[in-house]
Each structure stands twice: as structure tokens, then as C-alpha cells.
Amino acid sequence: MARALATGLLVALIGGCGWLRDDKGVFVDRRDDYLNADENPDLVVPGDFGVEQLGDPFPIPPTPEQNNPEFFPYRPPLPDAIYGDDSAETVRIQRLGERRWLVVPELPATLWPKVKQFFAENGVAVAAESPEAGRIDTEWLLLENRGYRDIVRTLLLEARDESSVPATETAERLILRVEQGIRDRTAEVHLRHQRVLPDRVAAAGPSPLDIGPVRSDDQGSESELLAELGAYVAAKVSEQSFSMVGQSITTQPKAILQRLDTGSPALRLNLDEERAWATVGQALTNAEIDIEASDAESLEYEISLKEEDLTGEKPGFFARTFSFGDRAERLKLRLLPIPDATGFYAVVERPDREIDREFAQSVLVLVREYAG
């Protein structure tokens, strides 16, 4: 009898606690008040006052155009979650096979002047630069068998000696490209090292526009120089020197959240297949999402994910008691080639039924924020 009475009181409490958080109860819930808010007209100042242009102290940033708004007919979509990752604030070298690049937690526009200053302090002149493409080409450096005081020439000479190049003199140059990173407010530096005999400098000509296919003549020096550049930049990360020239860097973002024509969310990865596949796998690992299976040929990951993986919150008392939110979702994360373009769409699917679009978008945001 006592147990039945307690159960009845619990059910009554659960069913009647809504008054605690409605618009008329003890605790007024104002989370959705903005949906009914009206925008007031701008303040009109009489012309004879002669005051300076008034500015809004709390401006509302422009809202990006929402793709496929017809899929949200009753309420606006929730804002994307913000995830914290310790590695997001560090300067680090990423590796994929023989490829390596520098990842810096700042905008390309603030990184650009630091890269140029690194070469200036080492006495290395810039032969050509293209801020729009994020390109910096150094001059040809004539290396002789003698000691150098700057780190760039010292590392290049050490790498040449270790590679047993049979020459007393070589001409060497560096090609760099500063690009936007995968995460928001990050940048990448890709570096290539070219070495020729001095009499072949004219034949080498200008550096190729696309340094992607270019293989460094000495990958050891490439790695060492990236490490030195990374250490230099890391010491100056707090110095937010902004370059108006660097602001014109227009390299394509590597990860963009979009919606397909069907309304399904998709994370566009402007990467080649090898890096796109590795990027998604690394993101799932960094986010501690269980990977049940993976197939590199079909470009599919099968993952197991709980709601707390997205929210970061452990289930409360009632969720634990009644097993709400404690079940792991079995999902498929697939990479689809983008027609007539280089890159892939990452999409999330449920194997048994249609997936909620906002839930799928949350998963893709998680992947984007934990990608390297």
C-alpha cells in the first residue's frame, strides 16, 4: 500500500511539475520568449542636433542564410554546440603518411606576418608572395660548406650533409602555403623544400602554383623547419598582429556545414580522399566516440553514440531511473564524393529509420570541432 502511494505521488509530481517552469508558474521559463519578440524601429535623432553617428553598443551579428528553411516550419534550429578540446589551443605538426603540416590556433591573417617575420629574422629574403593564395616563396639560398648563424640555413646544410649529397654547393629554396584550417579560427602551413645544383637554378624556374603534388627533396629538413617555425609561432601566439595583406588570403575553408537538396545536413570536407577519411577517424577518436567498425573502401564508419557524448552531461536521476537517454545510438557516418569537385560530404544515417536532422547536424558539428 505504501509503495503504491509513493508511486502515485511520484507520477503526480512528474505530471504536475510543468507549472514550475511555464510562463505563469513559480519559475518563469523565458527560453523561447525571443520567438515572439518584436523588433523596434531604429532611433531617429533630429537633424538639428548635429550629434555624431550613434552606434549600437550591443549589435546583433548578421544571421547567415539558413539553407532549406522549410525543414524548420515550427521553430528555428538550435545553435551549434561548442566543444572544448585541449589540443585546439596548441601549435602542432600533423602527419599523414609522408605528409606533414603545421596547425596553428589563429586566423591566417594573424599568422601571415609571423611567418614572414620568421624568415626576415633569419636573413632569408622572400622572392615572391601571393597573399590571395597564401603563398610565400623564398629566394634561392646558395649553401656552402661553412657554418651559418641562422637556423634556416643551418638546418638545410645539416640535412644536405646527412643525405650525402655529393656537392660542395647547392641552391635551395622553400615554398610555403598558409591555408585555413579545418576548425574555425585555425590555420595550416604547408612547406616544400627544393634543392638543385647552382647551375640549375635558371632551369628550375618559378615554383609551381599547386604545391600539393610537389615532393620535398629532403623530407627531414621539411620536418625540422616546420618544427622550428611552429616553435617560433607558438612563442608569438599571444601577439595578435593583424595583417591587412594577410586578410586577403582566400584559400577555401576545409570544413563547411551545409545541407543537401534533400535537407539532410552534410559536412563538406574540401580534402582528398586519404585525408578526409583520416580526418573523420581522428575526430571520432579525439571525441572518444566508439567506432564499432570501419570500411576504408566504402568510406563508412559505424559508430555508437550516446546523447551525453553530444551534450557532455551525464544522465540525471530520472534518466538513470527510467533508462531515458542511456541507450547508445548505432549510426553510420559515410563519406560521399562531391560531384564535379574535389572533396567529400560527410553524412550521418541511422540504419533502421530516418534520422532527426538536428541530431545528425549535432554529430557533424562534433566531428568538425574535434578534427585535426
Side-chain angles (χ1 to χ4, degrees):
M1 179 65 181
R3 179 179 298 179
L5 180 60
T7 302
L9 289 174
L10 179 61
V11 172
L13 178 60
I14 295 175
C17 65
W19 66 273
L20 290 173
R21 297 190 305 145
D22 62 13
D23 291 340
K24 299 179 181 178
V26 177
F27 302 104
V28 178
D29 186 358
R30 301 189 182 279
R31 289 179 299 177
D32 59 353
D33 285 4
Y34 71 97
L35 295 175
N36 300 318
D38 296 324
E39 184 176 358
N40 293 326
D42 294 336
L43 179 65
V44 178
V45 179
D48 56 348
F49 269 73
V51 297
E52 296 181 357
Q53 181 71 30
L54 296 178
D56 188 352
F58 304 104
I60 299 176
T63 303
E65 180 181 355
Q66 176 63 50
N67 293 330
N68 309 108
E70 65 272 14
F71 292 102
F72 300 98
Y74 306 112
R75 59 184 174 84
L78 296 174
D80 292 338
I82 299 177
Y83 298 97
D85 184 6
D86 293 339
S87 65
E89 300 302 322
T90 59
V91 178
R92 64 195 186 281
I93 293 179
Q94 291 283 81
R95 290 181 174 85
L96 179 60
E98 295 183 348
R99 301 156 63 182
R100 55 182 62 81
W101 59 92
L102 195 67
V103 180
V104 182
E106 57 181 275
L107 294 171
T110 62
L111 176 61
W112 179 264
K114 296 173 186 177
V115 173
K116 294 191 64 177
Q117 187 64 26
F118 171 77
F119 288 114
E121 292 184 10
N122 282 277
V124 178
V126 174
E129 63 177 279
S130 173
E132 295 80 7
R135 280 287 300 276
I136 295 177
D137 298 355
T138 72
E139 62 177 341
W140 285 102
L141 304 174
L142 185 64
L143 298 185
E144 303 172 339
N145 288 330
R146 64 183 181 84
Y148 291 98
R149 301 181 64 179
D150 68 281
I151 191 64
V152 174
R153 290 177 177 84
T154 299
L155 287 177
L156 291 176
L157 184 61
E158 290 177 354
R160 190 192 73 180
D161 293 341
E162 291 176 2
S163 63
S164 302
V165 176
T168 58
E169 292 183 343
T170 53
E172 323 211 4
R173 70 176 172 187
L174 302 174
I175 309 170
L176 291 93
R177 181 174 169 92
V178 178
E179 303 177 351
Q180 296 187 47
I182 293 179
R183 292 174 175 169
D184 189 30
R185 301 184 67 82
T186 63
E188 296 178 0
V189 179
H190 299 258
L191 182 148
R192 299 292 183 270
H193 165 219
Q194 291 186 310
R195 175 191 293 142
V196 298
L197 295 176
D199 58 356
R200 299 298 303 275
V201 169
S207 59
L209 296 178
D210 183 8
I211 69 172
V214 178
R215 180 184 177 90
S216 289
D217 291 323
D218 192 309
Q219 292 192 333
S221 62
E222 176 186 313
S223 180
E224 292 292 334
L225 285 166
L226 276 177
E228 287 295 333
L229 177 59
Y232 179 86
V233 171
K236 295 179 175 292
V237 162
S238 60
E239 300 179 11
Q240 292 298 322
S241 55
F242 191 85
S243 169
M244 295 301 293
V245 175
Q247 190 179 14
S248 63
I249 294 177
T250 57
T251 59
Q252 191 178 41
K254 290 184 170 60
I256 311 171
L257 197 62
Q258 297 180 339
R259 286 188 176 269
L260 304 178
D261 293 338
T262 60
S264 299
L267 182 63
R268 176 169 181 153
L269 299 172
N270 295 313
L271 305 168
D272 59 79
E273 181 176 322
E274 182 185 26
R275 188 175 173 190
W277 174 255
T279 295
V280 173
Q282 181 189 38
L284 295 174
T285 301
N286 292 343
E288 300 181 352
I289 303 300
D290 293 332
I291 300 176
E292 303 293 342
S294 62
D295 188 342
E297 291 188 5
S298 60
L299 300 178
E300 288 186 1
Y301 285 98
E302 293 184 12
I303 62 176
S304 178
L305 183 141
K306 295 181 180 180
E307 184 177 354
E308 64 190 69
D309 295 325
L310 297 175
T311 63
E313 299 177 356
K314 299 296 183 182
F317 168 75
F318 290 111
R320 294 194 306 271
T321 302
F322 297 101
S323 299
F324 296 151
D326 195 34
R327 294 182 298 273
E329 294 279 358
R330 297 295 297 267
L331 305 171
K332 276 190 176 183
L333 202 158
R334 298 199 298 146
L335 292 178
L336 307 176
I338 301 176
D340 302 323
T342 300
F344 292 83
Y345 285 125
V347 297
V348 182
E349 301 172 348
R350 275 196 175 97
D352 54 345
R353 65 186 187 279
E354 185 177 359
I355 192 170
D356 177 78
R357 290 189 174 94
E358 283 200 31
F359 177 75
Q361 179 167 314
S362 298
V363 177
L364 294 175
V365 169
L366 182 74
V367 170
R368 181 189 65 188
E369 294 305 308
Y370 279 94

